[in-house]
Amino acid sequence: MEWKKIGKALLFPHIALMIILVPIAIVFLVYSMVFLGTDSIPAIIAYVLSAYTLTVWCFKIPYLIRFFKSFKDENKYAQIWLKDTRLRVNVSLYGSLIWNVAYALLQLGMGFWHHTFWFYSLAGYYIALAVMRFFLVRYTSRHKPGERMREELVRYRACGIVFLLMNIALTLIIFFMVYWNRTFEHHEITTITLAAYTFTSLTMAIVNVVKYRKYKSPVYSASKAISLAAACVSMLTLESTMLTTFGDGTMDMTTRRIMLGATGGVISVFIIVMAIYMIVQSNKKIKQLKTAEEASNG
C-alpha cells in the first residue's frame, strides 16, 4: 500500500512542486550541457531530473486541458478576452509597439556605439514597424472595426506604402549579411531557442493573417501583415546566425552568400508583393465606396 502512495506522489506531485521543478531542471540542464559535458555525474543527474520533470508534466496534460477549458467557460475575464476582438488586437498592437520601440532604440544605440550601418539598418527597419503600429493603434483604440471603412482603407494603403520604403532598410540588411558577411555567433542552445521563437512567430503570423480576414477590417489585416513581415525578416537573421553558429567549415563563402542572398531576395520580393497588393486593394475599395456614395446621393 505504501508503494502505491509513493508511486502516486512521484508521478503526480503537487502543482507547486511541479512549477518549481521547471526552472531548476532547465538551469541545471543548460549548465551541464555548457560547462560539464555529458559524462559527469552532475550531468547525468541533470538529464534524469529533466526527464522526470517532463514526464510528470505530461501526466498532468489531461488535467491542464480540463482546467483551462473550465477557466475559459466560467471566468468572466476570459470570456471578455475571447469575445472582444478589438481588445486582443489592441493588446497585441501595444505590446508589439513597445517591443519595436525598445528594440529599435537598442539597435540605434549600438549603431552610434560601433559606428556601423548594420545596426542603423536594423534600427530603421524596426522604427518603420513601430511607426506603422502606432499609426494603427491610434485608430483601433478609438474606433470599432468597420466603423469607418474609408479611413481604415487609407491606413491600410499607407502601411503598404511604408512596406515599400522599408525595403530600403531590408536591402541594407541583406547587403551587410551577404557582401560583408555581417552576422552574429551565439551558443548552440541560444540559437536553438531563437529558432524555436522565430518559427513560432512565423507560424502564428501566418495563422493570424488568415484568421483575421474574417473580420473584414483593413486595419486588423494591416496589423497582422506587419507581424508577418517582421517574422520573415527574423527568419533571414536566424538563417545567418545558424550558418555561423553551426557552420563546420565545409561551406565556402560563395555558397553561404548564395543561400543568404536567395533567402533575402525571396523575402524582399514577398514584402514588395504584399505592399503592392495592399495599395491596389485599398485603392480599388476606396473607389467602390466613392462610387456607392455618389450613387446614393444622386
Side-chain angles (χ1 to χ4, degrees):
M1 188 67 179
E2 294 297 326
W3 286 106
K4 290 183 179 180
K5 291 183 179 179
I6 294 173
K8 185 177 180 180
L10 288 174
L11 293 177
F12 301 97
H14 193 276
I15 188 66
L17 178 60
M18 293 174 61
I19 294 173
I20 294 173
L21 279 175
V22 172
I24 293 176
I26 292 175
V27 172
F28 198 15
L29 179 64
V30 172
Y31 181 82
S32 300
M33 294 177 66
V34 175
F35 299 105
L36 301 180
T38 58
D39 299 329
S40 63
I41 294 177
I44 295 174
I45 295 174
Y47 298 146
V48 173
L49 179 62
S50 300
Y52 170 72
T53 303
L54 179 61
T55 300
V56 296
W57 274 102
C58 287
F59 280 125
K60 208 73 173 180
I61 287 177
Y63 167 79
L64 293 174
I65 292 175
R66 290 195 300 271
F67 171 78
F68 284 112
K69 184 177 180 181
S70 175
F71 179 82
K72 180 187 71 173
D73 295 336
E74 298 175 4
N75 187 275
K76 66 177 182 178
Y77 298 107
Q79 287 293 313
I80 293 173
W81 175 260
L82 292 172
K83 294 179 180 179
D84 195 338
T85 305
R86 183 183 172 192
L87 173 63
R88 295 200 305 272
V89 172
N90 282 338
V91 170
S92 174
L93 280 173
Y94 275 114
S96 301
L97 175 61
I98 293 171
W99 162 254
N100 281 165
V101 171
Y103 197 70
L105 291 176
L106 173 64
Q107 298 298 328
L108 187 61
M110 294 179 70
F112 285 124
W113 181 264
H114 295 285
H115 303 288
T116 171
F117 280 102
W118 163 256
F119 293 111
Y120 290 140
S121 301
L122 288 174
Y125 173 75
Y126 282 98
I127 287 173
L129 289 181
V131 169
M132 283 197 290
R133 282 184 163 126
F134 177 76
F135 188 54
L136 296 178
V137 80
R138 285 193 62 190
Y139 177 87
T140 59
S141 62
R142 293 181 295 178
H143 305 290
K144 295 180 180 180
E147 187 177 29
R148 299 185 179 185
M149 185 57 68
R150 181 189 291 273
E151 187 173 345
E152 286 198 37
L153 289 169
V154 169
R155 292 175 183 267
Y156 187 68
R157 180 177 59 189
C159 287
I161 295 172
V162 175
F163 270 134
L164 291 177
L165 298 176
M166 279 174 57
N167 264 280
I168 298 175
L170 180 58
T171 301
L172 289 174
I173 293 172
I174 296 171
F175 173 78
F176 282 117
M177 280 185 174
V178 176
Y179 187 76
W180 283 352
N181 191 32
R182 182 62 169 167
T183 185
F184 296 98
E185 183 175 359
H186 300 286
H187 190 273
E188 287 86 348
I189 296 176
T190 304
T191 304
I192 292 172
T193 303
L194 291 174
Y197 172 80
T198 301
F199 280 110
T200 301
S201 299
L202 180 61
T203 302
M204 292 302 299
I206 295 173
V207 170
N208 284 330
V209 165
V210 177
K211 179 180 177 181
Y212 278 80
R213 285 177 62 89
K214 67 180 181 181
Y215 297 109
K216 300 185 184 303
S217 170
V219 168
Y220 286 5
S221 297
S223 69
K224 300 310 169 184
I226 294 171
S227 298
L228 181 59
C232 288
V233 176
S234 295
M235 286 293 295
L236 176 62
T237 55
L238 174 65
E239 179 184 1
S240 178
T241 301
M242 292 187 72
L243 288 175
T244 303
T245 303
F246 296 106
D248 55 2
T250 58
M251 181 181 295
D252 57 39
M253 185 58 64
T254 301
T255 303
R256 176 188 173 87
R257 286 176 171 172
I258 290 174
M259 290 182 64
L260 290 175
T263 303
V266 170
I267 291 174
S268 181
V269 170
F270 171 75
I271 293 177
I272 291 174
V273 170
M274 183 170 64
I276 293 174
Y277 173 83
M278 294 171 69
I279 295 170
V280 171
Q281 286 296 310
S282 57
N283 284 335
K284 179 180 177 181
K285 291 181 179 180
I286 288 174
K287 289 181 180 179
Q288 291 176 350
L289 287 176
K290 185 177 180 180
T291 301
E293 291 175 359
E294 290 176 350
S296 61
N297 293 331

